[in-house]
Amino acid sequence: GFFRFPGAPGGPAASGTPALYGPDLDIAMGRGAVEWLPDPLSLHLYARALSGELRGLGARSEMHLYSAGVRLSGPFLSYGDLCLSAYASAGPGWLRSDIGDATGFDAAAGTQASYGVATGISLLASLEAQGFSSDGLSGWGPAALLGLNLGW
């Protein structure tokens, strides 16, 4: 992935690791709260903390992206307790690094595998295209996520 800073003509001013990584907490809204949503789509609230490395502007820095928001998900393949689904998510985000901090908009789209371990509890693994944008910084790249889904 890469990040572009203002005043960097002709290309990105900093690049990141090939992938961001980190935990993702996902809470599925019950059908009563979103009965207007057609089956089999579901709406989730999420919070995540992704990490990676940012290189550029003569520096190398650890990078952390924190965000929370809503996620719309729809399954396309199920087998027993295993489910593969496509999703899109969006919400506010905060990027922190030694180069600087930024508050902005975080969005992603990807594919998620979930495995039900108990009623209302699933383990998640996702691969997605992750984007972040603020007034002074924008970037995108792949993200690999591991997480927990709590539903009631």
Side-chain angles (χ1 to χ4, degrees), residues 61-117:
S61 171
E62 285 288 315
M63 176 181 71
H64 305 282
L65 176 61
Y66 306 99
S67 63
V70 294
R71 177 177 291 139
L72 181 64
S73 180
F76 61 85
L77 180 65
S78 293
Y79 181 76
D81 291 332
L82 179 65
C83 180
L84 297 178
S85 57
Y87 66 90
S89 61
W94 181 52
L95 181 75
R96 181 177 173 268
S97 74
D98 295 334
I99 297 172
D101 300 338
T103 301
F105 180 74
D106 177 56
T111 301
Q112 181 176 83
S114 64
Y115 181 76
V117 295

Side-chain angles (χ1 to χ4, degrees), residues 19-46:
L20 298 173
Y21 58 90
D24 182 278
L25 177 65
D26 186 289
I27 302 172
M29 304 298 293
R31 284 308 295 175
V34 291
E35 58 189 34
W36 50 269
L37 197 61
D39 277 336
L41 296 178
S42 61
L43 190 65
H44 305 246
L45 300 178
Y46 77 90

